[in-house]
Amino acid sequence: MKQFTIEQNQCIHFFPNTFAKKKHLLIEAGAGAGKTAVLTERTKWLLSNKSLNINPSQLFIVTFSKDAASQIQERVEKELSKIPQLIDAISFIHISTIDSFFSELVNSIYPTWWEAKQKNKDFFAMPPRLQLIDEEVVCNDLKNAIQSYLNTNKFNENQLTLTIDFLLSGALKKGFGKNRGTLDSILKTLCNDTFLASSIEELRIAAKKIHPSTSFLICEFHKLARQEYEKRIIKGEFTYSDRTLFLKENL
């Protein structure tokens, strides 16, 4: 049986109660310090301690890599299988990468969201199969939508000059890459979940602080970006940013 240090045991047996000042536990440790072993032992302790009354389906072990998830899955199964009353619990514990975790959350919420969006309630239809799409495809669709908008709206020369100056000056900071101020960077910013999640009022305030003359255009771009976002997810197509935004707004 593995011997744990005092600090490791404190991590394994940590559980906040009504009177506890500390509600969360953060473990910082380097490579080879025994993080996986501690996490495995902690899982076993939580489930075997009857006074805690932990349901195995309430345990979510989330990692950043597939290798780590596989390693923890193997360790947890090995340790819990040694305790007869915990063998059945193994299949209920959620162990995955953070990417898979988010994907499963979206999959569980999406059908209800999709059904609520259907205008014709008189026929039965299945929601589309969800798929992850490349951001470049989204940028191209958004570029076409913006081009169509600019072609059908008349701006005076001063508005156009100020708008171009605003965009090329790097006013849309979030999402800018090495080619700062390029159309590609601007489109990626407009696809970003932070931009899509912003309210019109927040955008007006931000635009006014940076360049007062461009608030009207940023708000129009926001409407276009939101419309394109809705079109995508109605079809079951998500970028990573879309998935983050969808969970923010619907979870």
Side-chain angles (χ1 to χ4, degrees):
M1 184 177 177
K2 181 176 175 60
Q3 295 296 312
F4 292 99
T5 65
I6 294 173
E7 289 82 3
Q8 286 175 327
N9 274 309
Q10 286 176 337
C11 296
I12 291 166
H13 303 120
F14 173 85
F15 194 81
N17 55 42
T18 307
F19 306 102
K21 292 182 179 179
K22 296 180 179 179
K23 301 293 184 182
H24 305 284
L25 174 68
L26 172 66
I27 303 172
E28 290 184 295
K35 295 187 294 295
T36 303
V38 167
L39 185 59
T40 302
E41 188 67 20
R42 176 165 173 74
T43 302
K44 185 169 71 173
W45 177 77
L46 287 170
L47 292 175
S48 58
N49 193 326
K50 293 183 179 179
S51 64
L52 299 179
N53 195 29
I54 298 291
N55 187 316
S57 63
Q58 292 177 295
L59 286 181
F60 293 83
I61 302 175
V62 183
T63 71
F64 285 103
S65 70
K66 290 181 180 179
D67 287 341
S70 297
Q71 186 181 30
I72 291 174
Q73 178 82 40
E74 186 180 327
R75 293 272 194 94
V76 168
E77 287 181 0
K78 182 180 177 181
E79 289 300 314
L80 295 190
S81 62
K82 297 176 182 178
I83 306 172
Q85 63 267 32
L86 295 183
I87 293 176
D88 292 338
I90 296 172
S91 60
F92 291 97
I93 302 172
H94 183 99
I95 303 174
S96 72
T97 62
I98 192 166
D99 188 57
S100 295
F101 179 58
F102 278 179
S103 181
E104 287 187 34
L105 281 176
V106 173
N107 280 323
S108 66
I109 297 169
Y110 183 77
T112 304
W113 178 91
W114 183 86
E115 188 176 350
K117 291 289 181 178
Q118 300 311 299
K119 294 178 181 178
N120 190 341
K121 306 289 184 179
D122 298 328
F123 70 95
F124 174 78
M126 291 285 286
R129 185 186 297 273
L130 302 189
Q131 57 180 319
L132 197 62
I133 61 172
D134 194 273
E135 194 178 60
E136 297 303 320
V137 175
V138 174
C139 285
N140 190 57
D141 289 341
L142 186 56
K143 181 170 70 174
N144 291 335
I146 290 174
Q147 185 65 54
S148 176
Y149 169 80
L150 294 176
N151 287 340
T152 55
N153 287 272
K154 302 296 182 182
F155 304 112
N156 61 45
E157 187 176 345
N158 184 53
Q159 286 176 328
L160 281 175
T161 301
L162 291 173
T163 300
I164 292 170
D165 175 58
F166 168 69
L167 295 174
L168 298 184
S169 69
L172 296 173
K173 293 179 181 178
K174 192 167 180 64
F176 270 66
K178 292 180 181 179
N179 300 321
R180 189 168 179 265
T182 63
L183 175 61
D184 180 58
S185 295
I186 292 167
L187 290 169
K188 286 183 178 179
T189 300
L190 299 181
C191 295
N192 187 275
D193 59 283
T194 303
F195 178 81
L196 289 171
S198 300
S199 68
I200 294 296
E201 189 55 34
E202 287 171 333
L203 292 172
R204 288 188 197 280
I205 294 170
K208 188 175 182 180
K209 287 180 179 178
I210 301 168
H211 207 305
S213 301
T214 56
S215 62
F216 78 98
L217 190 57
I218 292 302
C219 291
E220 290 303 310
F221 279 5
H222 182 265
K223 290 176 188 175
L224 288 172
R226 285 291 308 197
Q227 287 170 9
E228 291 299 310
Y229 163 75
E230 286 252 342
K231 286 180 188 176
R232 289 194 297 276
I233 59 176
I234 281 287
K235 295 188 293 183
E237 299 175 348
F238 287 79
T239 64
Y240 282 105
S241 285
D242 291 342
R243 196 164 63 185
T244 303
L245 177 60
F246 184 79
L247 289 176
K248 281 180 182 177
E249 296 185 339
N250 297 284
L251 187 61

PDB file of all heavy atoms in Angstrom, residues 57-72:
ATOM      1  N   SER A  57     -21.837   9.663  -9.871  1.00  0.00           N
ATOM      2  CA  SER A  57     -22.148  10.479 -11.048  1.00  0.00           C
ATOM      3  C   SER A  57     -21.886  11.964 -10.799  1.00  0.00           C
ATOM      4  O   SER A  57     -21.925  12.769 -11.732  1.00  0.00           O
ATOM      5  CB  SER A  57     -23.605  10.277 -11.468  1.00  0.00           C
ATOM      6  OG  SER A  57     -24.488  10.707 -10.450  1.00  0.00           O
ATOM      7  N   GLN A  58     -21.615  12.336  -9.547  1.00  0.00           N
ATOM      8  CA  GLN A  58     -21.294  13.728  -9.208  1.00  0.00           C
ATOM      9  C   GLN A  58     -19.801  14.021  -9.338  1.00  0.00           C
ATOM     10  O   GLN A  58     -19.386  15.164  -9.176  1.00  0.00           O
ATOM     11  CB  GLN A  58     -21.736  14.030  -7.763  1.00  0.00           C
ATOM     12  CG  GLN A  58     -23.240  14.038  -7.539  1.00  0.00           C
ATOM     13  CD  GLN A  58     -23.582  14.268  -6.079  1.00  0.00           C
ATOM     14  OE1 GLN A  58     -23.270  13.455  -5.221  1.00  0.00           O
ATOM     15  NE2 GLN A  58     -24.228  15.377  -5.803  1.00  0.00           N
ATOM     16  N   LEU A  59     -19.010  12.989  -9.592  1.00  0.00           N
ATOM     17  CA  LEU A  59     -17.565  13.170  -9.697  1.00  0.00           C
ATOM     18  C   LEU A  59     -17.152  13.417 -11.152  1.00  0.00           C
ATOM     19  O   LEU A  59     -17.435  12.610 -12.027  1.00  0.00           O
ATOM     20  CB  LEU A  59     -16.830  11.942  -9.163  1.00  0.00           C
ATOM     21  CG  LEU A  59     -16.807  11.758  -7.648  1.00  0.00           C
ATOM     22  CD1 LEU A  59     -16.022  10.502  -7.287  1.00  0.00           C
ATOM     23  CD2 LEU A  59     -16.208  12.959  -6.946  1.00  0.00           C
ATOM     24  N   PHE A  60     -16.488  14.537 -11.380  1.00  0.00           N
ATOM     25  CA  PHE A  60     -15.986  14.876 -12.706  1.00  0.00           C
ATOM     26  C   PHE A  60     -14.478  15.077 -12.623  1.00  0.00           C
ATOM     27  O   PHE A  60     -14.007  15.990 -11.942  1.00  0.00           O
ATOM     28  CB  PHE A  60     -16.654  16.157 -13.227  1.00  0.00           C
ATOM     29  CG  PHE A  60     -18.116  15.995 -13.509  1.00  0.00           C
ATOM     30  CD1 PHE A  60     -19.055  16.106 -12.496  1.00  0.00           C
ATOM     31  CD2 PHE A  60     -18.559  15.713 -14.790  1.00  0.00           C
ATOM     32  CE1 PHE A  60     -20.411  15.943 -12.750  1.00  0.00           C
ATOM     33  CE2 PHE A  60     -19.915  15.543 -15.055  1.00  0.00           C
ATOM     34  CZ  PHE A  60     -20.833  15.667 -14.034  1.00  0.00           C
ATOM     35  N   ILE A  61     -13.748  14.210 -13.274  1.00  0.00           N
ATOM     36  CA  ILE A  61     -12.287  14.317 -13.306  1.00  0.00           C
ATOM     37  C   ILE A  61     -11.915  14.767 -14.709  1.00  0.00           C
ATOM     38  O   ILE A  61     -12.076  14.025 -15.682  1.00  0.00           O
ATOM     39  CB  ILE A  61     -11.626  12.973 -12.967  1.00  0.00           C
ATOM     40  CG1 ILE A  61     -12.087  12.510 -11.571  1.00  0.00           C
ATOM     41  CG2 ILE A  61     -10.111  13.087 -13.027  1.00  0.00           C
ATOM     42  CD1 ILE A  61     -11.583  11.136 -11.175  1.00  0.00           C
ATOM     43  N   VAL A  62     -11.438  15.997 -14.818  1.00  0.00           N
ATOM     44  CA  VAL A  62     -11.194  16.608 -16.128  1.00  0.00           C
ATOM     45  C   VAL A  62      -9.716  16.928 -16.294  1.00  0.00           C
ATOM     46  O   VAL A  62      -9.102  17.532 -15.410  1.00  0.00           O
ATOM     47  CB  VAL A  62     -12.035  17.895 -16.278  1.00  0.00           C
ATOM     48  CG1 VAL A  62     -11.857  18.494 -17.664  1.00  0.00           C
ATOM     49  CG2 VAL A  62     -13.515  17.598 -16.034  1.00  0.00           C
ATOM     50  N   THR A  63      -9.143  16.526 -17.420  1.00  0.00           N
ATOM     51  CA  THR A  63      -7.719  16.741 -17.685  1.00  0.00           C
ATOM     52  C   THR A  63      -7.550  17.549 -18.970  1.00  0.00           C
ATOM     53  O   THR A  63      -8.513  17.812 -19.690  1.00  0.00           O
ATOM     54  CB  THR A  63      -6.984  15.401 -17.846  1.00  0.00           C
ATOM     55  OG1 THR A  63      -7.376  14.810 -19.092  1.00  0.00           O
ATOM     56  CG2 THR A  63      -7.314  14.442 -16.702  1.00  0.00           C
ATOM     57  N   PHE A  64      -6.300  17.897 -19.274  1.00  0.00           N
ATOM     58  CA  PHE A  64      -6.030  18.654 -20.496  1.00  0.00           C
ATOM     59  C   PHE A  64      -5.612  17.764 -21.662  1.00  0.00           C
ATOM     60  O   PHE A  64      -5.651  18.184 -22.811  1.00  0.00           O
ATOM     61  CB  PHE A  64      -4.942  19.702 -20.247  1.00  0.00           C
ATOM     62  CG  PHE A  64      -5.435  20.890 -19.476  1.00  0.00           C
ATOM     63  CD1 PHE A  64      -5.148  21.029 -18.133  1.00  0.00           C
ATOM     64  CD2 PHE A  64      -6.207  21.864 -20.087  1.00  0.00           C
ATOM     65  CE1 PHE A  64      -5.618  22.115 -17.410  1.00  0.00           C
ATOM     66  CE2 PHE A  64      -6.682  22.958 -19.376  1.00  0.00           C
ATOM     67  CZ  PHE A  64      -6.384  23.076 -18.039  1.00  0.00           C
ATOM     68  N   SER A  65      -5.175  16.537 -21.373  1.00  0.00           N
ATOM     69  CA  SER A  65      -4.713  15.665 -22.451  1.00  0.00           C
ATOM     70  C   SER A  65      -5.372  14.294 -22.390  1.00  0.00           C
ATOM     71  O   SER A  65      -5.800  13.838 -21.322  1.00  0.00           O
ATOM     72  CB  SER A  65      -3.189  15.496 -22.379  1.00  0.00           C
ATOM     73  OG  SER A  65      -2.840  14.710 -21.253  1.00  0.00           O
ATOM     74  N   LYS A  66      -5.427  13.631 -23.546  1.00  0.00           N
ATOM     75  CA  LYS A  66      -6.014  12.294 -23.636  1.00  0.00           C
ATOM     76  C   LYS A  66      -5.183  11.286 -22.840  1.00  0.00           C
ATOM     77  O   LYS A  66      -5.720  10.380 -22.209  1.00  0.00           O
ATOM     78  CB  LYS A  66      -6.108  11.859 -25.098  1.00  0.00           C
ATOM     79  CG  LYS A  66      -7.146  12.620 -25.895  1.00  0.00           C
ATOM     80  CD  LYS A  66      -7.204  12.112 -27.335  1.00  0.00           C
ATOM     81  CE  LYS A  66      -8.257  12.874 -28.142  1.00  0.00           C
ATOM     82  NZ  LYS A  66      -8.301  12.404 -29.547  1.00  0.00           N
ATOM     83  N   ASP A  67      -3.861  11.461 -22.883  1.00  0.00           N
ATOM     84  CA  ASP A  67      -2.976  10.541 -22.159  1.00  0.00           C
ATOM     85  C   ASP A  67      -3.250  10.589 -20.664  1.00  0.00           C
ATOM     86  O   ASP A  67      -3.311   9.553 -19.993  1.00  0.00           O
ATOM     87  CB  ASP A  67      -1.501  10.883 -22.425  1.00  0.00           C
ATOM     88  CG  ASP A  67      -1.072  10.495 -23.839  1.00  0.00           C
ATOM     89  OD1 ASP A  67      -1.768   9.669 -24.460  1.00  0.00           O
ATOM     90  OD2 ASP A  67      -0.043  11.011 -24.308  1.00  0.00           O
ATOM     91  N   ALA A  68      -3.407  11.806 -20.143  1.00  0.00           N
ATOM     92  CA  ALA A  68      -3.675  11.970 -18.710  1.00  0.00           C
ATOM     93  C   ALA A  68      -5.020  11.369 -18.338  1.00  0.00           C
ATOM     94  O   ALA A  68      -5.158  10.707 -17.299  1.00  0.00           O
ATOM     95  CB  ALA A  68      -3.629  13.448 -18.336  1.00  0.00           C
ATOM     96  N   ALA A  69      -6.020  11.585 -19.189  1.00  0.00           N
ATOM     97  CA  ALA A  69      -7.352  11.036 -18.931  1.00  0.00           C
ATOM     98  C   ALA A  69      -7.320   9.511 -18.917  1.00  0.00           C
ATOM     99  O   ALA A  69      -7.914   8.867 -18.053  1.00  0.00           O
ATOM    100  CB  ALA A  69      -8.330  11.534 -19.988  1.00  0.00           C
ATOM    101  N   SER A  70      -6.588   8.921 -19.879  1.00  0.00           N
ATOM    102  CA  SER A  70      -6.476   7.459 -19.948  1.00  0.00           C
ATOM    103  C   SER A  70      -5.757   6.903 -18.732  1.00  0.00           C
ATOM    104  O   SER A  70      -6.152   5.867 -18.177  1.00  0.00           O
ATOM    105  CB  SER A  70      -5.720   7.049 -21.219  1.00  0.00           C
ATOM    106  OG  SER A  70      -6.419   7.445 -22.371  1.00  0.00           O
ATOM    107  N   GLN A  71      -4.702   7.614 -18.308  1.00  0.00           N
ATOM    108  CA  GLN A  71      -3.918   7.167 -17.157  1.00  0.00           C
ATOM    109  C   GLN A  71      -4.755   7.191 -15.880  1.00  0.00           C
ATOM    110  O   GLN A  71      -4.748   6.243 -15.086  1.00  0.00           O
ATOM    111  CB  GLN A  71      -2.676   8.055 -16.993  1.00  0.00           C
ATOM    112  CG  GLN A  71      -1.721   7.566 -15.915  1.00  0.00           C
ATOM    113  CD  GLN A  71      -0.521   8.488 -15.761  1.00  0.00           C
ATOM    114  OE1 GLN A  71      -0.614   9.696 -15.995  1.00  0.00           O
ATOM    115  NE2 GLN A  71       0.607   7.935 -15.356  1.00  0.00           N
ATOM    116  N   ILE A  72      -5.499   8.262 -15.687  1.00  0.00           N
ATOM    117  CA  ILE A  72      -6.337   8.384 -14.496  1.00  0.00           C
ATOM    118  C   ILE A  72      -7.475   7.362 -14.538  1.00  0.00           C
ATOM    119  O   ILE A  72      -7.807   6.753 -13.516  1.00  0.00           O
ATOM    120  CB  ILE A  72      -6.892   9.821 -14.376  1.00  0.00           C
ATOM    121  CG1 ILE A  72      -5.753  10.787 -14.038  1.00  0.00           C
ATOM    122  CG2 ILE A  72      -7.983   9.903 -13.312  1.00  0.00           C
ATOM    123  CD1 ILE A  72      -6.140  12.244 -14.041  1.00  0.00           C
TER     124      ILE A  72
END
